[in-house]
Amino acid sequence: MTDTIDRVVLAFSGGLDTSVILKWLQTTYRCEVVTFTADLGQGEELEPARRKAELMGVKQEHIFVDDLREEFVRDYVFPMMRANALYEGLYLLGTSIARPLIAKRQVEIARQVGADAVSHGATGKGNDQVRFELGYYALAPDIKVIAPWREWDLTSRTALIAFAEAHQIPVPKDKRGESPFSTDANLLHTSSEGKVLEDPWEEVPDYVYSRTVNPEDAPDAPEIITIDFERGDAVAINGEGLSPASLLAKLNDLGRTHGIGRLDLVENRFVGMKSRGMYETPGGTILHLAHRGIEQITLDRGAAHLKDELAPRYAELIYNGLWFSPEREMLQALVDHSQQKVTGTVRLKLYKGGVHVIGRKSPYSLYSEKVVTFEDDAGAYDQRDAEGFIKLNALRLRLLGRRDC
Amino acid sequence: MTDTIDRVVLAFSGGLDTSVILKWLQTTYRCEVVTFTADLGQGEELEPARRKAELMGVKQEHIFVDDLREEFVRDYVFPMMRANALYEGLYLLGTSIARPLIAKRQVEIARQVGADAVSHGATGKGNDQVRFELGYYALAPDIKVIAPWREWDLTSRTALIAFAEAHQIPVPKDKRGESPFSTDANLLHTSSEGKVLEDPWEEVPDYVYSRTVNPEDAPDAPEIITIDFERGDAVAINGEGLSPASLLAKLNDLGRTHGIGRLDLVENRFVGMKSRGMYETPGGTILHLAHRGIEQITLDRGAAHLKDELAPRYAELIYNGLWFSPEREMLQALVDHSQQKVTGTVRLKLYKGGVHVIGRKSPYSLYSEKVVTFEDDAGAYDQRDAEGFIKLNALRLRLLGRRDC
Amino acid sequence: MTDTIDRVVLAFSGGLDTSVILKWLQTTYRCEVVTFTADLGQGEELEPARRKAELMGVKQEHIFVDDLREEFVRDYVFPMMRANALYEGLYLLGTSIARPLIAKRQVEIARQVGADAVSHGATGKGNDQVRFELGYYALAPDIKVIAPWREWDLTSRTALIAFAEAHQIPVPKDKRGESPFSTDANLLHTSSEGKVLEDPWEEVPDYVYSRTVNPEDAPDAPEIITIDFERGDAVAINGEGLSPASLLAKLNDLGRTHGIGRLDLVENRFVGMKSRGMYETPGGTILHLAHRGIEQITLDRGAAHLKDELAPRYAELIYNGLWFSPEREMLQALVDHSQQKVTGTVRLKLYKGGVHVIGRKSPYSLYSEKVVTFEDDAGAYDQRDAEGFIKLNALRLRLLGRRDC
Amino acid sequence: MTDTIDRVVLAFSGGLDTSVILKWLQTTYRCEVVTFTADLGQGEELEPARRKAELMGVKQEHIFVDDLREEFVRDYVFPMMRANALYEGLYLLGTSIARPLIAKRQVEIARQVGADAVSHGATGKGNDQVRFELGYYALAPDIKVIAPWREWDLTSRTALIAFAEAHQIPVPKDKRGESPFSTDANLLHTSSEGKVLEDPWEEVPDYVYSRTVNPEDAPDAPEIITIDFERGDAVAINGEGLSPASLLAKLNDLGRTHGIGRLDLVENRFVGMKSRGMYETPGGTILHLAHRGIEQITLDRGAAHLKDELAPRYAELIYNGLWFSPEREMLQALVDHSQQKVTGTVRLKLYKGGVHVIGRKSPYSLYSEKVVTFEDDAGAYDQRDAEGFIKLNALRLRLLGRRDC
């Protein structure tokens, strides 16, 4: 990679790895590094990242620290929730959905400061490199991308730490040895993978979990909550209106307490291998089931089934990093069109790791007691219609049966 | 309905309703009634049904009482489980999957005894009438179908009981008033709907549940079990080989104890209305999640994603009564083709209503620690390949971005 | 059908059948009949229909004669063309797409004149009854629907003509005997079915065709035309801007001349039987292929493939009469989202029944000579990227191969 | 690429390019080259390739020349035709479908001769490299792949010819300059792309076509033929039974004569760019339409529509080189399951570039004149059933309409 780079925007957490990358970019490309640190609700202070950047010579006006929590939930998490997206039937896509926002903001900053390149700290085996870079290329087709983990020769922990020490980058004690697992966190979830999780037959050790109590340690009494939805988005908990990020944070608290949203998964990465991950999505798990609950009474069957058939594809696109693709946007248009009357209230019981929808109501409910009742329905439904319905649905099967039976 | 009927095979439970139907068929059509009572694991004695039929004048050789439990699980439940079928994202199709087997056996008996008609006790508002009758017509295109609930004038409980009393049919005390809900049961599940469940905002009363303990009353200690799979089907629990029906019964016991498999759902019926049901699928819920667990390491991504995209359609077909349709069979061929190496063991934790996959292993595992590891992988994967992979996946997005950005 | 009807809006062509229906409604229901005659480009005078209605006692203010050609093409044909909809791979849905518009207008008139019912002249075996009535019910859920062909006893041609004569309805000479086939026509197509077409092994006789010359009689010289598209819709032919209906009419002329758009099809009706039809869709056939042509250079692969996968479903919905359904509208939202840059010009050769796209250009073309060229591309594409792309796409297959080979 | 290679199997046409590759492999890798030349019906002599290989020092026992025409049509073309596969709605996949067979045979030979590598002459911009290599890796996960066009420095025509001359490889006169286009041919089709085709607005010059006469020069009289199918595969033309390859060859002759199967397409390559190609698929075009014709009367609607929805996905898999993938095989299992009764005869008219199905019959026809007829059907269909059918299909729309209208 001998391209000349003048200025590069780095997604910078302030941790050891991205600090090493910052220095490596400065020394390898002899270019100016612009740092971008985002608050996506990962639960870490951002000011230390700013100070670290300063210490490593980044100009004041080239240090960007942004609180993106509301944008993250409103424009990324919520649209995805409207689609009921689950990757491989189970995973709520907590890491995948954060990447496009980071990429988008990085590209904006690159435009603002006149940078010709962007860089990230994702490794060469994972999905995140793909998600970052597809985002960059979609939004800035001619930008240069530097992926240090694929380029440099710091291929062992020892080499990395040696580099850090050679460049006066402080190495926290707990980073000296190999970490037993690595994590990613944001307001939607925490994921962990690596080392102690690599044997998929072995149970995930309890110390790996950080966002939820063990269901066995959760309260012995269930908790009942309500969530209000408007046009497919959650807007209130127990009647209290909340902004998207505040609402998700509140659900995370509830989920944490009740041990909700742990997932032990072996999944298929876009880059072609299987990996085993542990996910904690406390609030997102509640939200997902609540959204299904409100859709049950407000969505017509045709709309619901079409959504169900397309949800795996939609989830796959997000997982693969194709948020900024025409096909994801087309599916979003389809999904959003269905949500106009997805308004109402869902009642849920939280208990020992479980989320149970126990009630739902809506001013736009399509559920009709009058039609469904076993009692006399006063003509709302003529049972004799069923005969013709069945007969004509059967006609093709009868013609087939006459041929084949 | 003035067709002349000579002999009709009735799906006969021995309960009040089908006893009334038996008599009504005899008096209305002046035809011979053949009764068919199936043991699908609903947990009721079958001999009383035989005696009742005798009392009502059915000839000895026209009383059919069959234990279909193994066939039910092996040829209906298991193939469906191989597809990971969930109707509307949540429902394990316990009622739907039993209907085609009953229809098939009824048609076989009709052929055997030379009957020209079949009859069932499903009402005119539900899905079951459709499932029974599409089954009949697919397998015996020219058979006559009698659906008393759509034909007779016994439209109130009072009228029904009056008819029973007029014909010396014993009416159990608890059937005199309106039932607060109605149920259907078999080895896979128990469903309840009606009256006390008709307001979807109201929680299902605890007395409606019959197959599972309340999670809150389940043991405080989790239980760990293993399930072995061969070619997509469960074959052993905790290492003990079991026949399909015995295995499902054993899982039901485990599920009952731990309060697993309760579902409160508002669903879309094929006949066009929404209904609210309560389902208990203790063993099936465990099986479903365990099957997903073993597929995680034995199915390739391409196979897994194709299955995920088609599962909603497959589930809809079963729900709508189209088990005996070419499209269900085609999807089954697709699904079954994928299951050849779905062999191995899943470890699960059962706790307070929750089922958690905590380990999986297989002689055919596609999971490769060597490839996925963060450690040095000795050349199993070249991280530099990722750049080309991303670049070409990005190419179309870049061309698009150059046009549209 | 003993409902009391006060006023009914009849879809009235002025032909023998709907004249008989008009009279039959008046005599059977003793209700006021409101007639609605639409010009959808079927190529018939509408004034005779008005006069007939008058003669049969319909009040002046209850005779509606509307020219819906522009609305038909703009709001029904064009949106469908944007989706590239083909039923069963071949049929351009010319009849299906007209029904919802008629139903919509009928319902509007019913509201305007305070009618409590609507009626149509479609038979009980076809799809059109379904399309009309699903439209009525979707737009006016509580309206009463009268389908004379399913109700009356005029089940033979002789009975119908006897009724006509008994009520002084003039019977044209050529309607006295059984017609050798029946037709439906509008600006998009003419369809024929019945009698002489009922043996699917026999070729459709040439005299059945009315909208196109036999390709063998078409000009010996091909004709080259261009069609301009804007946002997915055709707007000009040979550079001349035209309104939707005028444009389709012009394409029909071109198609007629060159024998384009004949289709002999055995199709599956929604009501469960197979039927054999003959379709002539001269302009629509040209439009369909031209639209595919302009999409080839303006749609991204992701968008194009998603559309291709969903087009059969979309076509099925229209065929089945579900234009006014949430799922059709959701798919339309998806399709329309993709058409923003489907702008440009397509060049076509028309010759002896064939339509051949021979050129396409667009200000928004995604085709890049620079990238695709065999010549030196000056770095637009790095061939070495292909290796990584292939390697990672192959990874899962290799892991699979190591297990299974 | 510094791997040590001992023996490599090269897909060798005997033309200039693969001759240069042969020599380049020998000199660059100092390895033994094994040549494999396949007859897939491309219409070239194979013996010259053998002699060339000998001249270039390939051992007698390392020269493989195989006639794969029957296997190609029987095991690749026909299964694909059973699926009605069309890429991007139009392309019959003639090149794509040949690649997996070549890859498979190359891998077999590699095993047989103990080679550790395979090589092909596809460029780094196209799809063929992907198809070859995904095939290799799927069938021989650990094989080494040499793709000279991505590795060497012979990046201009001049350099290539200089290399040839330096190594005594004869350079045909017409290969000295840049070719105006490049072609690929086999029994199913001929494709052309490059240079003179690179402007998608310009018509493909007539001299590019080689497999079909210009429709304008085709006979003025149409020709009627019949094709017999058995279980989805064509088995006879005009009543004469033919082997798969002979049958396709015969259809090619017919198609050539009548100017059938020309296609001018801008398509989306798997590697991310758009390209413009010209295809001639004379026999395949006839076969595709004939197969649709026989399916019209022998496939049930459920089967037909499921196939139609999955066909674009199936086609995409083949186009992308994923023939040897579990998902293609799963879809094939689904498709093949549907073909058991796809037996019968189709009558077609060939005329001036057009193929028109004009008749179809089958001992397994599901078309029933008795049911469909406008005449009295003697009770085969009760028109009153339609009312209930419509009413229940409308129910959800009415509930929706009451909420939303």
Side-chain angles (χ1 to χ4, degrees), chain A residues 298 300 341 396 403-404, chain D residues 298 300 341 396 403-404:
Chain A
T298 54
D300 164 74
K341 300 283 171 72
R396 68 179 178 103
R403 182 185 75 179
D404 297 339
Chain D
T298 54
D300 164 74
K341 301 285 170 70
R396 66 177 178 104
R403 183 186 75 180
D404 297 339

Side-chain angles (χ1 to χ4, degrees), chain B residues 297-303 309 313 341 363-366 368 371 380-382 384-393 395-397 399-404, chain C residues 297-303 309 313 341 363-366 368 371 380-382 384-393 395-397 399-404:
Chain B
I297 54 169
T298 54
L299 276 197
D300 164 75
R301 182 184 67 206
E309 290 192 44
R313 170 76 67 95
K341 300 284 170 70
Y364 305 115
S365 178
L366 291 165
S368 164
V371 170
Y381 177 97
D382 184 345
R384 279 159 220 255
D385 287 340
E387 185 182 336
F389 179 73
I390 295 170
K391 279 275 188 63
L392 292 207
N393 274 304
L395 182 53
R396 66 178 177 103
L397 300 177
L399 293 167
L400 202 61
R402 275 186 203 128
R403 183 186 75 180
D404 297 339
Chain C
I297 53 168
T298 54
L299 276 197
D300 164 74
R301 181 183 70 206
E309 290 192 43
R313 171 76 67 94
K341 300 285 171 70
Y364 303 115
S365 178
L366 291 165
S368 163
V371 170
Y381 177 97
D382 183 346
R384 278 159 221 256
D385 287 338
E387 184 181 336
F389 179 74
I390 295 170
K391 279 274 188 65
L392 292 207
N393 274 304
L395 182 53
R396 66 178 179 103
L397 301 177
L399 293 167
L400 201 63
R402 277 186 202 129
R403 183 186 75 178
D404 298 339

Side-chain angles (χ1 to χ4, degrees), chain B residues 41-229:
Chain B
Q42 62 270 50
E44 278 168 14
E45 290 294 315
L46 273 58
E47 283 315 303
R50 178 188 301 278
R51 281 195 302 276
K52 262 203 177 154
E54 282 170 7
L55 280 172
M56 294 175 77
V58 180
K59 290 186 201 156
Q60 199 59 41
E61 70 268 27
H62 283 171
I63 301 177
F64 290 80
V65 178
D66 292 350
D67 181 351
L68 301 178
R69 287 176 298 174
E70 289 294 346
E71 184 177 359
F72 174 51
V73 181
R74 186 187 63 231
D75 296 343
Y76 294 78
V77 175
F78 275 10
M80 181 175 79
M81 287 282 163
R82 295 198 288 268
N84 301 329
L86 288 176
Y87 183 66
E88 303 194 338
L90 297 165
Y91 168 41
L92 282 158
L93 294 161
T95 298
S96 325
I97 191 62
R99 301 318 188 194
L101 172 53
I102 295 171
K104 171 171 159 281
R105 189 70 191 110
Q106 245 179 303
V107 164
E108 285 168 2
I109 292 171
R111 291 230 167 83
Q112 193 179 326
V113 302
D116 49 352
V118 286
S119 182
H120 63 76
T123 75
K125 281 194 175 178
N127 294 302
D128 283 332
Q129 56 176 342
V130 188
R131 295 169 188 147
F132 280 124
E133 297 179 30
L134 293 183
Y136 299 149
Y137 286 132
L139 299 172
D142 297 309
I143 207 153
K144 286 174 199 147
V145 174
I146 306 176
W149 285 99
R150 297 199 306 255
E151 291 184 29
W152 66 22
D153 49 7
L154 305 177
T155 51
S156 73
R157 203 77 208 154
T158 321
L160 188 87
I161 287 166
F163 182 95
E165 290 179 338
H167 291 87
Q168 284 80 46
I169 299 169
V171 180
K173 236 183 183 166
D174 66 332
K175 298 283 177 181
R176 295 226 157 245
E178 288 292 344
S179 170
F181 59 92
S182 81
T183 66
D184 174 68
N186 60 46
L187 201 49
L188 182 54
H189 94 337
T190 295
S191 69
S192 301
E193 52 183 14
K195 224 164 165 183
V196 302
L197 305 177
E198 283 185 5
D199 180 350
W201 176 246
E202 289 303 318
E203 186 171 1
V204 175
D206 202 57
Y207 65 80
V208 177
Y209 296 96
S210 62
R211 287 278 283 265
T212 53
V213 306
N214 188 324
E216 298 163 41
D217 302 327
D220 287 327
E223 182 167 0
I224 309 287
I225 64 166
T226 64
I227 302 181
D228 294 345
F229 285 86

